[in-house]
Amino acid sequence: MSSAAYREVEVDLEVRRREQSADGVVTLTLADPAGADLPEWTPGAHIDLVMTPSLTRQYSLCGSTASRSEWRVGILLDPNSRGGSQFVHDKLQEGTTIRVRGPRNHFPLANSPRYQFVAGGIGITPMLPMIEAAEATGADWRLIYGGSARSSMAYLEALERFGDRVTICARDEEGDGFRTKLAAVLAAPQENTLVYCCGPEGLLDAVEKGCQAWPDGSLHLERFSAKTVEAPSDALDTFEVECQRSGITLTVPLDKTIYDVAEGAGLDVLGSCMEGVCGTCECEIISGDGDHRDSVLTDSEKAANQTIMICVSRSRSERLVLDL
Ligand code: FES
């Protein structure tokens, strides 16, 4: 199960510092206004920033896991913003308070003697605490980090101290050098090495392809947006969901999600992205066969069928019993 093993909270935090970390990237340092400690988290975790009742976005924590007094997030102003990054860049100034939920981790760092980290653009954020953890355990690690120009690539200064463990590829300096170097890095599976990648869709697809010959379980990805998951040919148009905790059974029709129907019935369901990316709506499966269409669970987690993202996934069995 991919749920976090630590405490999740919903709190109002204050923006203590706001720094420009690169062109278009701000780093916010968030802290409890009264100075209370924040919950522990692990590398790869993200938090939800609840900007308005209908606008919630997830951002990876990029500070140090050792700091209990503040959380840091790096946020790129996306020119195609659907409102989230624009809100952050326009409205979240030092002293502003923002509702925060989390932390939650669907991109946990597994123990390994060696890591290959791959970051594209703002996908560098979860890699920073992963590198801190790799350094702490003495793991052998490398990072390849690509972006359009050095001026738009955040945290380059912080990475400088790692010398040749880090390869920086800026498109305005070396054209498609990132893809060429990446292909060379992944060309042959490396022994006892896990690959962690975060970045835009095209990069994730390239890394997925590049890792095809690597042992199963080597590659770990985090997506910013949902990948297209086709409905299986035997998908059910309608099915029943038994909500065991609430003692009610609901029928989910073709044009509604489990989340919609559960919320409509007055159940206390939690969701955020509504496209199978963030993991907020994850529910435990008690029995039945999930038709998993999310971008959060790995293939082996989907096969294990222990949890389901109810905002997009459906059922392959006539009845699905959930811990709802
Ligand atoms: Fe984000 Fe379901 S609400 S995965």
Side-chain angles (χ1 to χ4, degrees), residues 271-274 276-279 281 311:
S272 175
C273 70
M274 296 301 152
V277 177
C278 73
C281 67
C311 66

Side-chain angles (χ1 to χ4, degrees), residues 49-88:
L49 297 189
V50 185
M51 299 164 196
T52 68
S54 59
L55 185 62
T56 300
R57 292 288 181 268
Q58 294 75 43
Y59 298 102
S60 297
L61 289 168
C62 66
S64 170
T65 54
S67 170
R68 297 292 307 277
S69 60
E70 54 185 41
W71 283 342
R72 280 161 66 83
V73 283
I75 298 160
L76 168 71
L77 178 59
D78 177 356
N80 303 315
S81 172
R82 289 177 295 148
S85 67
Q86 192 75 56
F87 182 99
V88 169

Side-chain angles (χ1 to χ4, degrees), residues 211-259:
C211 283
Q212 269 166 1
W214 287 57
D216 270 1
S218 302
L219 175 60
H220 301 257
L221 298 173
E222 180 160 73
R223 292 182 184 274
F224 294 152
S225 54
K227 66 177 173 187
T228 311
V229 182
E230 299 294 337
S233 54
D234 58 350
L236 295 176
D237 287 351
T238 174
F239 55 91
E240 286 190 338
V241 171
E242 182 182 330
C243 306
Q244 199 175 70
R245 240 183 314 133
S246 320
I248 56 171
T249 297
L250 303 167
T251 300
V252 181
L254 184 59
D255 62 344
K256 289 220 162 60
T257 64
I258 302 174
Y259 185 98

Side-chain angles (χ1 to χ4, degrees), residues 149-264:
R150 279 177 191 265
S151 59
S152 67
M153 294 171 71
Y155 315 117
L156 290 181
E157 260 174 47
L159 293 168
E160 249 168 36
R161 70 189 176 99
F162 299 117
D164 61 8
R165 282 190 185 277
V166 176
T167 305
I168 304 293
C169 306
R171 196 162 46 244
D172 65 339
E173 292 170 8
E174 52 177 310
D176 220 13
F178 182 36
R179 290 301 170 91
T180 313
K181 285 180 187 161
L182 185 60
V185 164
L186 301 178
Q190 295 166 38
E191 216 173 305
N192 294 323
T193 304
L194 297 182
V195 179
Y196 279 79
C197 175
C198 184
E201 206 60 21
L203 173 65
L204 300 183
D205 291 345
V207 171
E208 248 175 347
K209 229 186 243 159
C211 283
Q212 269 166 1
W214 287 57
D216 270 1
S218 302
L219 175 60
H220 301 257
L221 298 173
E222 180 160 73
R223 292 182 184 274
F224 294 152
S225 54
K227 66 177 173 187
T228 311
V229 182
E230 299 294 337
S233 54
D234 58 350
L236 295 176
D237 287 351
T238 174
F239 55 91
E240 286 190 338
V241 171
E242 182 182 330
C243 306
Q244 199 175 70
R245 240 183 314 133
S246 320
I248 56 171
T249 297
L250 303 167
T251 300
V252 181
L254 184 59
D255 62 344
K256 289 220 162 60
T257 64
I258 302 174
Y259 185 98
D260 291 338
V261 174
E263 190 184 39

Side-chain angles (χ1 to χ4, degrees), residues 240-244 283-290 305-308 314-323:
E240 286 190 338
V241 171
E242 182 182 330
C243 306
Q244 199 175 70
C283 267
E284 195 180 327
I285 298 178
I286 294 163
S287 68
D289 197 3
N305 193 51
Q306 288 181 337
T307 66
I308 188 165
R314 300 181 62 82
S315 178
R316 300 178 81 112
S317 48
E318 301 285 341
R319 174 173 282 236
L320 194 60
V321 184
L322 300 180
D323 180 26

